[in-house]
């Protein structure tokens, strides 16, 4: 990743880095060796970032190993080691988008209320436009009163076209028209906005399944991506959200939005440890440029240095 992108990621992760790295430094400063008390304090620091019990145990184990081989407690060496551990735990770089050999590539975007779906769609549309690709967004959130207008404004700013019906229309009907329009107009991407819904509401989950079916019928292989947008400030409940959306829809990826707004960005590590769903993008601000591809090594680096 280029310096500027890493710099942006660094500023996006500032709150979490402050809590994590400054926390670690505070715990180890002035200490000569790693003992049980120090490990306990480190454990507390890790947990405070919402990285979860599994990830925390993994890191504490590594610090124990570190204590065995390093006679002196060097904080820089320790931070380096933890950064490496985190990069390792995050796994290989994901395939960012499963791009269809015969366009359009269809991306269905789902999630609970207010997580950042519509903003993420505009951010994606903008990166496509900057790549010289044609994107169309489908206003399938026909439920919230201002949703269609919000998407229309953002789409215009992002350089994407839009297919919309009236407020209260059938979401699947909008999806149908958007699928047709995107094929007819030779779009490279079709991105489908959906209404925020609780993962526990069966009838609302059925509604997205219907959208999914309509799209699959019109465009072979679609949707090529089903992205769940999570709000990083939500904490551990996002694990439950991810599980339930995955069970119903078969997610292909997660977008972790609003990482800039929280010191608990460790939730991304918890998600990686607990679920086998790739994290594909991270949202680090409200502007349309504030979406970054998720690169594990860069994320680890931005978290520690
Ligand atoms: N700081 C920050 N704010 C974000 C980010 N992504 C989205 N937001 C803000 O979060 C709020 C909700 O964003 P939306 O995109 O409307 O969320 P949504 O999931 O579409 O919401 P509903 O359609 O109502 O379910 C807006 O104020 C966005 O500007 C991000 O990465 N960082
Ligand atoms: Mg929305």
């Amino acid at each position: 990743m280029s310096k500027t992108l890493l710099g942006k990621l660094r500023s996006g992760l500032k709150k979490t880095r402050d809590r994590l790295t400054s926390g670690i430094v505070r715990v180890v400063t002035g200490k000569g060796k790693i003992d049980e008390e120090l490990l306990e304090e480190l454990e507390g620091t890790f947990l405070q970032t919402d990285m979860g019990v599994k990830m925390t145990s993994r890191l504490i184990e590594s610090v124990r190993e570190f204590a065995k081989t390093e006679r002196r407690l060097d904080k820089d060496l320790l931070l380096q080691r933890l950064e490496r551990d985190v990069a390792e735990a995050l796994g290989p770089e994901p395939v960012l988008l499963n791009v269809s050999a015969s366009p359009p590539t269809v991306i269905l975007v789902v999630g609970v209320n207010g997580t950042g779906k519509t903003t993420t769609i505009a951010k994606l549309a903008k990166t496509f436009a900057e790549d010289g690709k044609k994107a169309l967004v489908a206003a399938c959130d026909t439920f919230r009163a201002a949703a269609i207008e919000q998407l229309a404004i953002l789409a215009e700013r992002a350089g994407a076209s839009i297919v919309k019906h009236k407020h209260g229309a059938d979401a699947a009907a909008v999806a149908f028209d958007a699928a047709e329009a995107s094929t007819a107009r030779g779009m490279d991407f079709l991105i489908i906005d959906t209404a925020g819904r609780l993962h526990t509401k069966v009838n609302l989950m059925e509604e997205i399944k219907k959208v999914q079916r309509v799209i699959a019928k019109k465009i072979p292989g679609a949707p090529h991506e089903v992205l769940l947008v999570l709000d990083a400030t939500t904490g551990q409940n996002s694990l439950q959200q991810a599980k339930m959306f995955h069970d119903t829809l078969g997610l292909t990826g997660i977008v972790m939005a609003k990482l800039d707004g929280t010191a608990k960005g460790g939730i991304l590590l918890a998600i990686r440890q607990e679920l086998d769903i790739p994290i594909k993008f991270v949202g680090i601000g409200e502007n349309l440029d504030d979406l970054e591809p998720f690169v594990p090594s860069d994320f680890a680096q931005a978290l520690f240095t």
Side-chain angles (χ1 to χ4, degrees):
M1 191 184 276
S2 75
K3 265 219 169 102
T4 49
L5 282 187
L6 194 57
K8 268 186 72 181
L9 189 60
R10 272 178 51 79
S11 53
L13 288 175
K14 183 176 186 314
K15 288 185 183 167
T16 304
R17 181 178 57 252
D18 279 354
R19 181 168 289 177
L20 181 64
T21 311
S22 312
I24 296 168
V25 169
R26 208 174 315 117
V27 170
V28 303
T29 296
K31 309 272 176 34
K33 62 173 172 42
I34 295 169
D35 55 17
E36 286 306 313
E37 191 192 327
L38 184 135
L39 285 169
E40 226 167 81
E41 282 180 50
L42 278 181
E43 192 175 65
T45 304
F46 296 157
L47 287 172
Q48 273 177 22
T49 69
D50 247 5
M51 67 170 70
V53 174
K54 245 190 212 169
M55 188 67 213
T56 297
S57 314
R58 187 171 172 158
L59 292 185
I60 290 294
E61 240 0 88
S62 178
V63 180
R64 277 186 203 281
E65 285 303 311
F66 178 81
K68 279 186 200 158
T69 52
E70 300 293 326
R71 251 180 258 155
R72 217 165 46 82
L73 173 49
D74 180 315
K75 77 168 187 334
D76 292 326
L77 280 184
L78 179 64
L79 289 173
Q80 264 173 35
R81 183 184 178 103
L82 290 172
E83 180 188 325
R84 190 205 63 194
D85 293 336
V86 165
E88 251 173 46
L90 286 173
E93 221 167 291
V95 175
L96 278 184
L97 282 176
N98 172 25
V99 176
S100 172
S102 52
T105 294
V106 182
I107 306 172
L108 178 63
V109 179
V110 300
V112 306
N113 303 79
T115 54
K117 294 176 292 299
T118 306
T119 310
T120 298
I121 287 166
K123 289 171 174 178
L124 281 171
K126 181 152 189 264
T127 57
F128 297 151
E130 283 167 355
D131 256 7
K133 305 285 187 205
K134 292 204 286 182
L136 184 141
V137 298
C140 292
D141 179 354
T142 54
F143 182 74
R144 189 166 61 82
I148 298 170
E149 187 60 16
Q150 180 200 9
L151 184 67
I153 292 167
L154 286 175
E156 191 178 352
R157 251 197 262 155
S161 13
I162 185 169
V163 164
K164 57 184 184 179
H165 288 190
K166 285 207 180 74
H167 172 57
D170 176 19
V174 184
F176 183 92
D177 284 354
E180 235 169 34
S182 62
T183 315
R185 295 195 228 155
M187 291 288 153
D188 298 298
F189 291 94
L190 166 60
I191 321 175
I192 300 168
D193 192 18
T194 61
R197 68 200 68 222
L198 275 180
H199 46 299
T200 47
K201 289 265 158 64
V202 174
N203 57 330
L204 294 181
M205 294 303 269
E206 283 303 316
E207 188 199 63
I208 321 188
K209 274 170 104 171
K210 193 172 157 200
V211 167
Q212 208 174 17
R213 280 197 301 274
V214 163
I215 291 290
K217 245 190 214 163
K218 291 281 308 169
I219 301 172
H224 307 90
E225 292 281 353
V226 182
L227 299 181
L228 174 70
V229 179
L230 292 174
D231 176 340
T233 64
T234 302
Q236 296 289 327
N237 185 252
S238 46
L239 276 164
Q240 207 49 37
Q241 292 172 22
K243 276 183 196 149
M244 295 191 72
F245 272 99
H246 191 46
D247 283 349
T248 314
L249 301 171
L251 299 174
T252 60
I254 288 173
V255 179
M256 185 61 79
K258 307 192 198 177
L259 271 170
D260 55 304
T262 177
K264 289 174 167 272
I267 187 65
L268 188 145
L269 299 173
I271 299 265
R272 272 312 290 149
Q273 294 303 291
E274 299 290 337
L275 306 172
D276 205 17
I277 308 166
I279 293 161
K280 299 204 165 183
F281 296 93
V282 293
I284 47 171
E286 291 190 282
N287 291 326
L288 297 193
D289 292 321
D290 295 332
L291 186 76
E292 299 291 337
F294 177 66
V295 180
S297 55
D298 289 337
F299 187 85
Q301 199 182 336
L303 207 52
F304 280 94
T305 41

